[in-house]
Amino acid sequence: MPHSLAQSTRTFTLSDFDFQLPVELIAQHPAPERSASRLLDGTGVSAQDLIFRDLPSLLLSGDLLVFNDTRVMNARLFGEKSTGGKLELLVERVLGGNQVAAHMRVSKKPEVGASVALIGAPGTHENLRATLLGRWPDANGPMFRFVLTNDAGDDPFTLMARHGHVPLPPYITHADSPEDAARYQTVFAKNPGAVAAPTAALHFDDGLLAAIDVLGVQRAFVTLHVGAGTFAPVKTENLAEHQMHSEWYDVPAATQQAISDCRARGGRLIAVGTTSVRTLESWAKTGQTTGDTNIFITPGFEFKVVDALVTNFHLPKSSLMMLVSAFAGYERVMALYRHAIEQRYRFFSYGDAMLLARQL
């Protein structure tokens, strides 16, 4: 039975995507240089241990790399209720009219209509506040709708840029620092709206991008505003019962043309990161070039666009483990993860990367 057919006929459960990861392999800081992280080439018969700046040796003239150009917002805001209770907001979406949708961490929820004082950047005094309007996106929604205000009437993007904190993932244990402000952002980040970085793209620096250009490899961009749900573990053993989070995406006309040109010349489309995969395959599946996607890619999914994938190493039981297993084959991915753990690769957002080919 062909490998892909075997995968599509097997029923996977949550436990299939679990693995034991030594805690010391969870990267707490980035590599000293972006392109000095490690790269596991998983495209051949046997795994090859490389450095990320070796990536051009695995590319061919005529290939197309598709990056996610979302920009991570300083989306974490801290505040204090009138009672003195502490509050933390993680802004997931800017809605217009100075309104935002945010996750709220607080011991006792404030009443609708209550205004909370937010902590401004050191040395600033501008009466920064958040007023609770209700839940979002509906009365039973998982997030909350707030109006953000200050004395100057600045918009939420400006307020977050000045007063917010880098929304580091839950497994990174230090408070955000200037290093995080620089390195938890891609060198080509452009469109603000993400609360998590498209981490596979963090390995690219200007020197590596220049080397790729010299090869005749093309570049194109999509936007997907990565949400906090990307870190949420799948909790239902039956994968069909999982409620996938929703994220906003856009595939610009120039990128659609670049993909068409790549196909015409017989090049490979290489997605940089699972967020690029989610964007491209959502577009292929629905025909919608922009909108919200809650696509949940599990083994058996039929990929229409992406030929190869640059990706970091993902959390056990996560939807991203399921995506890469669907893409490259479950057995292969689990074998590559075993190899990565044995060889002490660094995992998660600040960790190392691998290159995968789509199983045929």
Side-chain angles (χ1 to χ4, degrees), residues 23-237:
V23 68
E24 66 273 14
L25 296 187
I26 300 173
Q28 295 295 320
H29 296 274
E33 295 172 56
R34 288 179 186 266
S35 59
S37 49
R38 295 169 75 188
L39 175 66
L40 178 58
D41 177 13
T43 60
V45 176
S46 57
Q48 299 293 316
D49 300 306
L50 304 170
I51 301 299
F52 200 84
R53 65 170 64 98
D54 296 329
L55 179 65
S57 70
L58 306 176
L59 304 177
L60 301 167
S61 177
D63 286 346
L64 175 67
L65 287 172
V66 180
F67 297 90
N68 181 2
D69 66 6
T70 188
R71 186 170 190 82
V72 179
M73 305 179 290
N74 287 352
R76 185 162 277 135
L77 295 163
F78 297 97
E80 194 172 277
K81 297 188 295 181
S82 56
T83 57
K86 300 286 186 269
L87 169 139
E88 179 184 328
L89 300 182
L90 181 66
V91 175
E92 178 124 346
R93 290 205 186 192
V94 176
L95 302 173
N98 278 23
Q99 293 183 25
V100 297
H103 303 270
M104 175 167 48
R105 183 182 291 177
V106 66
S107 57
K108 187 172 185 296
K109 207 165 78 260
E111 297 288 321
V112 170
S115 180
V116 176
L118 298 177
I119 299 166
T124 61
H125 304 281
E126 51 190 69
N127 193 26
L128 182 63
R129 305 192 73 79
T131 303
L132 178 61
L133 300 181
R135 285 189 175 269
W136 189 88
D138 52 41
N140 300 309
M143 284 186 263
F144 296 87
R145 198 157 50 94
F146 287 90
V147 176
L148 299 186
T149 56
N150 70 343
D151 290 336
D154 290 322
D155 67 89
F157 288 116
T158 303
L159 293 176
M160 284 187 281
R162 189 182 308 136
H163 303 292
H165 293 262
V166 180
L168 293 174
Y171 46 74
I172 289 180
T173 54
H174 62 266
D176 66 315
S177 69
E179 177 191 50
D180 298 305
R183 295 294 301 276
Y184 196 63
Q185 196 82 270
T186 64
V187 296
F188 42 74
K190 180 177 160 193
N191 297 309
V195 297
T199 55
L202 296 177
H203 304 285
F204 290 82
D205 53 29
D206 291 333
L208 180 56
L209 290 170
I212 288 166
D213 289 344
V214 167
L215 273 178
V217 172
Q218 305 295 305
R219 282 192 266 153
F221 295 91
V222 296
T223 305
L224 181 135
H225 291 327
V226 194
T230 193
F231 301 117
V234 177
K235 295 196 169 117
T236 56
E237 192 63 24

Side-chain angles (χ1 to χ4, degrees), residues 106-349:
V106 66
S107 57
K108 187 172 185 296
K109 207 165 78 260
E111 297 288 321
V112 170
S115 180
V116 176
L118 298 177
I119 299 166
T124 61
H125 304 281
E126 51 190 69
N127 193 26
L128 182 63
R129 305 192 73 79
T131 303
L132 178 61
L133 300 181
R135 285 189 175 269
W136 189 88
D138 52 41
N140 300 309
M143 284 186 263
F144 296 87
R145 198 157 50 94
F146 287 90
V147 176
L148 299 186
T149 56
N150 70 343
D151 290 336
D154 290 322
D155 67 89
F157 288 116
T158 303
L159 293 176
M160 284 187 281
R162 189 182 308 136
H163 303 292
H165 293 262
V166 180
L168 293 174
Y171 46 74
I172 289 180
T173 54
H174 62 266
D176 66 315
S177 69
E179 177 191 50
D180 298 305
R183 295 294 301 276
Y184 196 63
Q185 196 82 270
T186 64
V187 296
F188 42 74
K190 180 177 160 193
N191 297 309
V195 297
T199 55
L202 296 177
H203 304 285
F204 290 82
D205 53 29
D206 291 333
L208 180 56
L209 290 170
I212 288 166
D213 289 344
V214 167
L215 273 178
V217 172
Q218 305 295 305
R219 282 192 266 153
F221 295 91
V222 296
T223 305
L224 181 135
H225 291 327
V226 194
T230 193
F231 301 117
V234 177
K235 295 196 169 117
T236 56
E237 192 63 24
N238 177 355
L239 303 186
E241 294 172 3
H242 176 61
Q243 181 58 52
M244 191 68 179
H245 62 283
S246 185
E247 294 166 318
W248 182 89
Y249 74 92
D250 180 54
V251 184
T255 298
Q256 296 170 45
Q257 186 62 51
I259 292 168
S260 177
D261 293 346
C262 176
R263 287 280 173 262
R265 65 177 174 262
R268 294 176 301 171
L269 190 149
I270 302 167
V272 177
T274 56
T275 62
S276 295
V277 175
R278 280 168 56 73
T279 304
L280 293 168
E281 296 296 338
S282 294
W283 165 51
K285 191 166 186 251
T286 66
Q288 302 291 314
T289 59
T290 187
D292 284 276
T293 178
N294 62 352
I295 192 171
F296 183 27
I297 296 176
T298 57
F301 182 89
E302 191 179 327
F303 291 87
K304 301 264 196 338
V305 185
V306 180
D307 300 309
L309 168 63
V310 179
T311 184
N312 278 24
F313 294 93
H314 304 294
L315 281 76
K317 296 186 175 181
S318 65
S319 63
L320 302 181
M321 273 301 290
M322 296 164 197
L323 185 155
V324 294
S325 298
F327 185 78
Y330 172 79
E331 299 295 347
R332 167 164 287 234
V333 165
M334 298 311 280
L336 289 169
Y337 269 64
R338 287 191 293 273
H339 174 93
I341 291 168
E342 285 164 10
Q343 297 300 316
R344 312 292 288 172
Y345 275 70
R346 299 162 77 245
F347 274 62
F348 306 163
S349 293

